[in-house]
């Protein structure tokens, strides 16, 4: 885990450069700063990190292609946060300690920023210097993860479309969509960029699902001291208690680690699973 930090810095630099290039040249020119706003300064970039670690785990060689696929996942993630903060959704004025995109640039612009980032994700995959077959599979995997089968479905459950969430099973399913799907897609896209075998892709999928759950359980433990929202689904600690939530996060981390143990270079993925559970923000 010691050399995870410098590696993460390197990943961030590569992904930031790719993201900056993707949103360069916006029209009208005034749209440019709004498009860049939610991308920089960055969040943890955990999804691109997982994608690049998966790429390394399978011994991939087209790093440029992997970086573009990693950036694609981050574009979808960033769009999801911009729309999630909108007044009609969570109505959050702040994101990463500064005004949310709709506060800084207005609501209509924030909706368009989200639309543009989501669309650009698929252009980034199409443009990646990778075999056509890998790009098609990546488009399918990311579309599946981002849409109603994944993140959007989870958000729909989160706003109450499925009725109140009162049990661990439903809450787990909600998060498998809302948070899990994009994390799982990160691992999968990294593998696809690295030319992974079907077997390796299955291992990466299992890893991604387990890390996604671990990440969310850890997130809820981190937020446990904060006031619980009075609307929306409960956090895991409310249903399980903080200790059991922490225990399940650790268990999911071990499951993730076990899934990728047989890959050629699993170390970085292992470190990231650890980081997902032991991070402080
Ligand atoms: C926040 O995701 C929203 C969830 C899905 C829990 P991250 O914690 O990855 O957000 P950033 O990108 O690092 O800010
Ligand atoms: C945001 O979820 C996750 C997505 C946009 C998919 P939350 O509402 O739970 O997370 P924060 O608190 O806004 O980061
Ligand atoms: Mg929110």
């Amino acid at each position: 885990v010691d050399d995870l930090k410098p590696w993460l810095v390197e990943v961030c630099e590569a992904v930031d450069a790719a993201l900056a290039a993707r949103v360069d040249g916006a029209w009208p020119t005034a749209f440019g700063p709004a498009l860049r706003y939610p991308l920089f300064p960055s969040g943890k970039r955990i999804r691109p990190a997982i994608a690049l670690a998966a790429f390394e785990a399978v011994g991939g060689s087209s790093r440029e292609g992997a970086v573009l696929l990693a950036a694609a996942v981050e574009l979808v993630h960033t769009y999801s946060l911009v729309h999630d903060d909108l007044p009609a959704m969570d109505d959050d004025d702040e994101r990463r300690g500064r005004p949310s995109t709709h506060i800084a640039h207005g609501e209509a612009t924030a909706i368009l920023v989200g639309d543009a980032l989501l669309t650009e994700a698929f252009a980034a995959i199409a443009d990646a210097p990778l075999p056509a077959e890998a790009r098609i599979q990546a488009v399918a995997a990311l579309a599946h993860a981002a849409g109603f089968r994944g993140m959007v479905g989870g958000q729909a459950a989160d706003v109450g479309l499925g009725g109140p969430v009162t049990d661990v099973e439903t809450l787990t399913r909600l998060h498998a969509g809302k948070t899990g799907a994009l994390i799982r897609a990160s691992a999968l896209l990294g593998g696809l960029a690295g030319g992974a075998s079907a077997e390796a892709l299955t291992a990466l999928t299992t890893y991604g699902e387990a890390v996604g759950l671990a990440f969310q359980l850890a997130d809820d433990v981190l937020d446990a001291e904060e006031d619980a929202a009075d609307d929306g689904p409960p956090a895991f600690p409310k249903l399980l208690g903080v200790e059991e939530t922490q225990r399940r996060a650790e268990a999911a981390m071990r499951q993730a680690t076990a899934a990728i143990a047989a890959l050629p270079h699993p170390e970085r993925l292992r470190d990231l699973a650890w980081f997902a559970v032991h991070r402080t923000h």
Side-chain angles (χ1 to χ4, degrees), residues 84-85 90 92 95:
D84 180 74
D85 289 336
D90 283 356
D92 267 327
R95 165 74 54 191

Side-chain angles (χ1 to χ4, degrees), residues 10-11 13-19 48 51-52 55 62-73 124 128 130 193:
E10 211 184 290
V11 163
E13 282 171 3
V15 171
D16 285 5
L19 289 168
L52 287 168
F55 167 79
S62 170
R63 194 168 172 89
E64 200 191 326
V67 167
L68 270 171
L69 267 50
V73 181
L130 292 169

Side-chain angles (χ1 to χ4, degrees), residues 79-186:
Y79 124 77
S80 81
L81 298 180
V82 173
H83 281 193
D84 180 74
D85 289 336
L86 287 168
M89 300 283 290
D90 283 356
D91 193 13
D92 267 327
D93 289 356
E94 274 194 26
R95 165 74 54 191
R96 299 175 184 149
R98 67 185 187 139
S100 320
T101 304
H102 67 276
I103 298 295
H105 292 277
E107 204 176 327
T109 304
I111 291 171
L112 294 171
V113 164
D115 294 341
L117 296 175
L118 170 61
T119 317
E120 192 58 24
F122 294 95
I125 297 176
D127 290 343
L130 292 169
E133 181 62 25
R135 284 180 284 143
I136 292 169
Q137 286 183 284
V139 164
L142 187 57
H144 201 282
F148 66 86
R149 298 175 187 86
M151 189 274 289
V152 169
Q155 288 286 72
D158 195 88
V159 302
L161 274 173
V165 177
T166 51
D167 60 289
V168 173
E169 201 187 321
T170 313
L171 186 64
T172 304
R173 177 150 190 208
L174 182 157
H175 285 302
K178 192 175 119 175
T179 315
L182 279 186
I183 292 181
R184 172 187 143 136
S186 305

Side-chain angles (χ1 to χ4, degrees), residues 43-44 46-47 77 81 96 179 215-216 219:
K44 294 178 287 295
I46 182 104
R47 293 159 193 79
H77 167 64
L81 298 180
R96 299 175 184 149
T179 315
F215 183 88
Q216 187 60 52
D219 216 58

